[in-house]
C-alpha cells in the first residue's frame, strides 16, 4: 500500500489548505500527453520522490492572493528537493536513494529549446505555452510539490543529484534553494551583467531579491543596494553586507542612490518585484519598478528582470494591467541603450555550479534569505505570515528529514 500523501491546495483568495491526494504514479498529465502527441501518458522516464524539503515562493503567493487565473483546487509547490523512492524502467542514471534538487522548470530534454539550454521555455510539456512548472497556474497541470510525494518526469535530464547524502542533509537549508530562488536570483544578477566592481541595485528584498543580492556579491559587485518598502526585509539585506534604501521614504530614488554611490546611478539593476509592485505602502503601481530601474541604470547598462509578470491578473486596478499591459518608459530604456533580460530562469544553466559553491562554503544562501523550517501542516500559517511581509524564506519539512 502506497504511503499517505498530502499536498497544499489553493482554496480561494487568501486561503490554502493541506489535503489528501493520491500517491503519484509514473504518468504524465493526460491533457499534456494528448495535446503534445505523446505516445502515451505512461512515464517510464520518471521518478517518484519522497520530498525532503519544499519551499513557499513569492510566485505561489501571487496565486494565493487571487492575482492570477489559478482555479480553486490548484495544487501548489515548485521548489522541490527529494529522495528517489521509485524509478521508471527508462531511468538509467538516477537511482533509488539518491537525493536530488528538482529545477522548477519541467523540461523534456528533447526539444529545440531544451537542447539550447533554454529549459524555462520547453516546447513539449505545456499545451498552453512554452515552459512549465510544478503546481502552477497555466503550466500544464503538473502536481505541486508542497507534498509528501511528487512525480518528476524526464528524470535523468531534470534532476540534479547531490554527490553525498550526509553532506546534502547537513547543508539542506542551502541546497533547497537550488530548485528556484538561488538560480533565479543569480540569473537576475548574471543577466544584468554584474561583474567585478559593479555597482548594483536590486529592487525587492523578498527571498528572490535577497538571493539576487547575494549572487551579485558572489559575482564581485563592489556595492549592492537593495530597495524595498519593508524595513524588516531591508534589515535582512543589511545582515549580509548590502546597502539599503526604503523606496517609500527619504526622497527620490536617484537621491538615495547618490547618497550611497556618489552619483545618481548604478552600473546594473535587478527587478525582483514583478507585477505587484507598489510606489508606496498600499499604493500599487505595476510598472513602477521597471521605470525606476531604467531611470537609475547608467547608459549602456543591463537590466535583469526575474520578477514575475503575468498575462492574466484579475486583481489589477485597470483593464490594461489585467492582461499584463503596463505603462513602461521604453523610450528611456531605448535612449540609454539598455539591455532587458526577462522570463523564467532556466535553472539548469546555473544549479550545478551554485551547488558546488554551497558544498564548498562559498555561498551562504540560507542565511541570506533567513531560511525558516516549518511542518507541512503549518503551510497555511506560513502563507499568511509571508503575505504579511515576514523577512523569512519558509521551508516545509513534510517527511521529517530536516532536524529541528
Amino acid at each position: 500500500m502506497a504511503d499517505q500523501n498530502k499536498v497544499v491546495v489553493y482554496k480561494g483568495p487568501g486561503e490554502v489548505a493541506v489535503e489528501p491526494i493520491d500517491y503519484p504514479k509514473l504518468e504524465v498529465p493526460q491533457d499534456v500527453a494528448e495535446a503534445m502527441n505523446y505516445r502515451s501518458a505512461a512515464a517510464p522516464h520518471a521518478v517518484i520522490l519522497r520530498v525532503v524539503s519544499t519551499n513557499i515562493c513569492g510566485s505561489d503567493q501571487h496565486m494565493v492572493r487571487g492575482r492570477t487565473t489559478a482555479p480553486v483546487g490548484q495544487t501548489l509547490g515548485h521548489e522541490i528537493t527529494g529522495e528517489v523512492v521509485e524509478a521508471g524502467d527508462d531511468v538509467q542514471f538516477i537511482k533509488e536513494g539518491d537525493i536530488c534538487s528538482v529545477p522548477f522548470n519541467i523540461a523534456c530534454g528533447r526539444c529545440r529549446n531544451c537542447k539550447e539550454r533554454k529549459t524555462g521555455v520547453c516546447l513539449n510539456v505545456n499545451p498552453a505555452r512554452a515552459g512549465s512548472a510544478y503546481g502552477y497556474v497555466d503550466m500544464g497541470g503538473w502536481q505541486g510539490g508542497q507534498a509528501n510525494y511528487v512525480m518528476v518526469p524526464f528524470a535523468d535530464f531534470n534532476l540534479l543529484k547531490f554527490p553525498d547524502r550526509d553532506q546534502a542533509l547537513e547543508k539542506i537549508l542551502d541546497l533547497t534553494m537550488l530548485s528556484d530562488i538561488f538560480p533565479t536570483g543569480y540569473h537576475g544578477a548574471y543577466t544584468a551583467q554584474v561583474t567585478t566592481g559593479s555597482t548594483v541595485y536590486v529592487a525587492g528584498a523578498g527571498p528572490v531579491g535577497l538571493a539576487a543580492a547575494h549572487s551579485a556579491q558572489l559575482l564581485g559587485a563592489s556595492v549592492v543596494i537593495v530597495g524595498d518598502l519593508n524595513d524588516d526585509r531591508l534589515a535582512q539585506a543589511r545582515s549580509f553586507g548590502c546597502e539599503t534604501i526604503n523606496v517609500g521614504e527619504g526622497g527620490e530614488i536617484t537621491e538615495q542612490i547618490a547618497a550611497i554611490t556618489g552619483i545618481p546611478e548604478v552600473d546594473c539593476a535587478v527587478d525582483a518585484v514583478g507585477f505587484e509592485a507598489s510606489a508606496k505602502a498600499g499604493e500599487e503601481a505595476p510598472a513602477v519598478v521597471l521605470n525606476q530601474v531604467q531611470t537609475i541604470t547608467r547608459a549602456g547598462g543591463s537590466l535583469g528582470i526575474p520578477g514575475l509578470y503575468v498575462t492574466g491578473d484579475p486583481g489589477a486596478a485597470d483593464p490594461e494591467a489585467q492582461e499584463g499591459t503596463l505603462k513602461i518608459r521604453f523610450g528611456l530604456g531605448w535612449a540609454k541603450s539598455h539591455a532587458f533580460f526577462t522570463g523564467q530562469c532556466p535553472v539548469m544553466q546555473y544549479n550545478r555550479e551554485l551547488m558546488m559553491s554551497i558544498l564548498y562554503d562559498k555561498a551562504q544562501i540560507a542565511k541570506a534569505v533567513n531560511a525558516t523550517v516549518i511542518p507541512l501542516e503549518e503551510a497555511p500559517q506560513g502563507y499568511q505570515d509571508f503575505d504579511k511581509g515576514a523577512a523569512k524564506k519558509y521551508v516545509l519539512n513534510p517527511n521529517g528529514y530536516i532536524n529541528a
Side-chain angles (χ1 to χ4, degrees):
M1 185 70 178
D3 288 347
Q4 182 184 37
N5 193 22
K6 294 181 179 179
V7 67
V8 179
V9 179
Y10 171 62
K11 303 298 288 183
E15 184 181 357
V16 302
V18 180
E19 297 183 346
I21 192 171
D22 290 342
Y23 186 85
K25 299 178 181 179
L26 295 175
E27 296 177 356
V28 302
Q30 188 67 40
D31 291 348
V32 173
E34 292 176 359
M36 308 307 297
N37 295 315
Y38 288 17
R39 290 179 64 188
S40 75
H45 49 75
V47 301
I48 293 171
L49 297 182
R50 181 186 294 120
V51 175
V52 172
S53 59
T54 177
N55 315 323
I56 296 175
C57 180
S59 298
D60 299 321
Q61 201 72 61
H62 293 305
M63 286 188 288
V64 173
R65 289 191 187 114
R67 297 299 300 269
T68 72
T69 56
V72 171
Q74 169 77 56
T75 62
L76 301 176
H78 56 271
E79 299 191 12
I80 308 164
T81 304
E83 178 180 7
V84 178
V85 294
E86 184 178 345
D89 291 340
D90 193 38
V91 179
Q92 301 296 324
F93 308 110
I94 296 292
K95 310 297 183 186
E96 291 182 12
D98 288 346
I99 294 182
C100 305
S101 179
V102 185
F104 78 89
N105 322 110
I106 301 173
C108 72
R110 296 153 166 82
C111 70
R112 173 182 177 175
N113 285 350
C114 284
K115 290 177 180 179
E116 293 177 356
R117 300 187 74 197
K118 298 173 184 175
T119 54
V121 282
C122 174
L123 301 173
N124 287 333
V125 289
N126 182 2
R129 56 193 254 202
S132 188
Y134 304 89
Y136 210 84
V137 59
D138 295 334
M139 287 293 184
W142 302 82
Q143 183 196 313
Q146 288 172 10
N148 297 102
Y149 295 88
V150 69
M151 185 275 295
V152 174
F154 310 108
D156 280 326
F157 181 70
N158 282 303
L159 291 177
L160 175 65
K161 175 187 172 182
F162 299 140
D164 182 87
R165 178 189 181 88
D166 291 340
Q167 184 186 34
L169 291 175
E170 179 184 346
K171 294 180 176 289
I172 193 61
L173 290 186
D174 292 290
L175 295 172
T176 190
M177 306 306 167
L178 291 173
S179 56
D180 181 355
I181 67 161
F182 197 10
T184 294
Y186 191 92
H187 180 62
Y190 184 83
T191 56
Q193 300 184 29
V194 177
T195 188
T196 305
S198 297
T199 57
V200 184
Y201 177 70
V202 177
V208 169
L210 296 174
H214 186 46
S215 297
Q217 293 172 333
L218 292 174
L219 287 163
S222 58
V223 60
V224 180
I225 305 166
V226 179
D228 204 289
L229 298 165
N230 183 317
D231 286 330
D232 289 340
R233 290 182 170 180
L234 291 173
Q236 180 62 28
R238 290 192 295 274
S239 75
F240 59 97
C242 299
E243 301 287 343
T244 61
I245 60 175
N246 188 315
V247 293
E249 303 172 0
E252 294 294 326
I253 188 171
T254 50
E255 297 171 355
Q256 295 191 71
I257 295 289
I260 296 169
T261 65
I263 55 175
E265 64 181 18
V266 291
D267 293 323
C268 38
V270 178
D271 172 4
V273 177
F275 74 104
E276 286 194 72
S278 296
K280 60 179 69 174
E283 184 180 300
E284 194 164 304
V288 66
V289 171
L290 291 170
N291 289 325
Q292 284 177 343
V293 294
Q294 292 179 83
T295 299
I296 64 171
T297 300
R298 68 174 178 85
S302 295
L303 311 176
I305 308 173
L308 178 67
Y309 289 88
V310 295
T311 56
D313 175 12
D318 63 78
E320 289 185 335
Q322 287 175 7
E323 65 174 17
T325 300
L326 307 181
K327 296 178 180 178
I328 66 170
R329 295 187 64 194
F330 191 74
L332 175 63
W334 189 95
K336 297 175 79 173
S337 294
H338 283 161
F340 293 70
F341 295 88
T342 68
Q344 278 189 43
C345 167
V347 170
M348 292 174 66
Q349 287 195 21
Y350 309 105
N351 63 349
R352 184 174 298 279
E353 291 82 354
L354 293 176
M355 175 187 74
M356 297 304 289
S357 296
I358 290 168
L359 295 179
Y360 287 92
D361 298 320
K362 302 301 181 186
Q364 308 292 332
I365 186 64
K367 290 181 180 178
V369 301
N370 195 16
T372 302
V373 181
I374 60 175
L376 182 67
E377 290 72 23
E378 292 182 16
Q381 186 63 50
Y383 271 95
Q384 289 183 24
D385 293 344
F386 188 47
D387 190 45
K388 293 174 183 175
K392 298 177 179 180
K393 174 66 173 178
Y394 287 105
V395 177
L396 303 179
N397 183 24
N399 292 304
Y401 282 87
I402 307 174
N403 293 329

